[in-house]
Amino acid sequence: MTSAQATTVQLAERQPRLTGEEMLASLVPPPQFEHATFASYRADPAFPSQQESKELLQRFAANGSAPVARAGLFSFGRRNKRAPEMKPGVYLDGGFGVGKTHLLASIYHAVPARRKYFGSFIEYTALVGALGYKNTVDLLTGSALLCIDEFELDDPGDTMVMTRLLGELVKTGTRLAATSNTPPNALGEGRFAAQDFLREIQSMSNSFETIRIDGVDFRQRSLDGGAVVTDPSAYDAALASGGGVASDDDFDALIAHLAQVHPSRYIRLIEGVDMVGLRGVRQLTDQSEALRFVAFVDRVYDAQVPIRATGLALSDVFSDEMLAGGYRKKYLRAVSRLIASTHP
């Protein structure tokens, strides 16, 4: 095998496996946020809520609980004779690209505890699927902090599992910190019959103090237009230019393969890969395919692996109908990350 062949792999041929113990061990901030701190978070002065959120979260990380705001989240002018009510969790709500994950990782690094975990929503539900509910509760009980990135409830089963899990952990003293593009009392809106699960959703939201973070997508501040499309004639050279290991897959083949791999294992699909190559990108019209691709994009972006792709611009991969539906924010977040990942 030549060295050129040795540096090219096909993701569609990989069959990753991940044990429950490996899932638990991987619940740490992704490489992009391995060294994230409050000091390195750059608040946009045009949006005061960013600096205010940062200061409030620093207090949460130091004290372990969040004071409940009584006259608006950041209104402390009116004094209350009673001690402020405390909640065990903070919930960072805001658009994509305003630094929520950076702040979440900052909380994780700032809390001086031996047992603390950081993972995406899908990683926690996958952990329950791999180990069983009781074993997961037993393993996480006693942890000081649970950080949950991109908290979104896409089906009733996830609603029940996560509300029960978080409720049991809070009772034993675990603190919570989560991010989402959707306020906790609106989770599931437009996706399933949320009214049927109102009690569970409300119970979960009562554990969090919601912190609204305004701003514009930092990934777009220095990038113009959509995702960069690689010319087919320059595709091979583009993959070779990165050095290391590059994946090279037909877009349709990868999309089909993602259906055969649980999303919690997508991170293993790109293990050891320094650049992702996709040939013949087309627009996705199937919702399930699109959501799996979103989960894949999240893992690629977290690992800071660049993408080179031919065909349709990846910023146009989701149809207008999808962008107008219940998963709009998920798709727009993915588009933002795809644009950043395709720019040299």
Side-chain angles (χ1 to χ4, degrees):
M1 180 178 288
T2 66
S3 59
Q5 291 173 318
T7 58
T8 302
V9 298
Q10 286 188 302
L11 302 184
E13 294 182 351
R14 291 186 165 189
Q15 299 292 337
R17 295 288 182 266
L18 201 61
T19 66
E21 290 72 19
E22 289 172 325
M23 289 180 184
L24 190 67
S26 68
L27 291 178
V28 296
Q32 182 188 7
F33 299 105
E34 185 178 358
H35 303 293
T37 64
F38 289 115
S40 62
Y41 177 77
R42 297 291 178 257
D44 187 340
F47 298 93
S49 64
Q50 293 189 12
Q51 180 63 30
E52 292 167 341
S53 298
K54 171 181 171 179
E55 293 171 1
L56 185 60
L57 295 174
Q58 284 178 299
R59 294 198 292 274
F60 171 77
N63 301 325
S65 297
V68 176
R70 300 187 181 280
L73 184 55
F74 300 111
S75 299
F76 300 105
R78 180 180 299 178
R79 296 183 178 275
N80 193 313
K81 292 182 180 180
R82 294 182 303 167
E85 180 185 352
M86 307 296 281
K87 287 196 174 185
V90 288
Y91 191 99
L92 313 187
D93 171 49
F96 42 87
V98 297
K100 299 188 302 298
T101 303
H102 185 124
L103 288 170
L104 187 68
S106 299
I107 295 171
Y108 175 90
H109 292 305
V111 171
R114 183 178 63 86
R115 292 193 60 200
K116 52 186 177 180
Y117 300 99
F118 183 110
S120 66
F121 178 81
I122 198 171
E123 287 178 300
Y124 287 108
T125 55
L127 187 66
V128 175
L131 300 180
Y133 180 79
K134 184 180 184 304
N135 288 336
T136 301
V137 172
D138 290 343
L139 280 173
L140 296 180
T141 294
S143 55
L145 175 71
L146 222 64
C147 293
I148 310 161
D149 201 20
E150 298 300 345
F151 202 130
E152 295 190 21
L153 303 183
D154 295 338
D155 64 66
D158 285 346
T159 303
M160 300 298 289
V161 167
M162 289 305 290
T163 53
R164 287 181 58 206
L165 177 65
L166 297 183
E168 292 202 40
L169 294 177
V170 165
K171 289 178 182 177
T172 62
T174 298
R175 303 303 177 183
L176 309 173
T179 75
S180 182
N181 299 319
T182 307
N185 61 352
L187 287 168
E189 264 185 14
R191 302 170 206 177
F192 60 86
Q195 65 272 16
D196 295 338
F197 299 88
L198 182 60
R199 182 173 60 186
E200 287 79 5
I201 292 172
Q202 187 62 44
S203 173
M204 178 179 62
S205 68
N206 286 339
S207 296
F208 294 99
E209 176 65 9
T210 301
I211 300 174
R212 175 70 189 181
I213 305 176
D214 301 304
V216 295
D217 185 355
F218 77 92
R219 288 180 287 267
Q220 299 308 305
R221 294 174 195 169
S222 59
L223 299 176
D224 296 321
V228 175
V229 177
T230 302
D231 188 277
S233 64
Y235 177 78
D236 290 337
L239 293 189
S241 68
V245 177
S247 67
D248 182 8
D249 288 88
D250 178 80
F251 182 72
D252 280 337
L254 176 64
I255 293 299
H257 187 57
L258 292 180
Q260 309 304 315
V261 179
H262 191 278
S264 64
R265 299 175 183 172
Y266 288 174
I267 187 62
R268 284 292 179 91
L269 276 180
I270 59 171
E271 189 173 39
V273 172
D274 301 297
M275 181 177 288
V276 168
L278 298 172
R279 299 178 186 261
V281 173
R282 62 167 175 83
Q283 190 169 81
L284 296 171
T285 57
D286 180 88
Q287 190 94 270
S288 296
E289 289 183 345
L291 290 173
R292 284 191 288 266
F293 187 60
V294 167
F296 175 75
V297 171
D298 286 342
R299 301 289 77 78
V300 172
Y301 180 78
D302 284 344
Q304 290 293 277
V305 177
I307 301 174
R308 300 294 177 262
T310 68
L312 183 72
L314 281 167
S315 49
D316 297 324
V317 74
F318 306 113
S319 69
D320 290 341
E321 182 180 0
M322 289 179 178
L323 294 177
Y327 298 100
R328 170 181 171 81
K329 290 181 179 179
K330 270 193 171 186
Y331 293 139
L332 290 178
R333 184 187 75 235
V335 167
S336 170
R337 292 179 168 184
L338 285 166
I339 291 173
S341 298
T342 58
H343 276 256

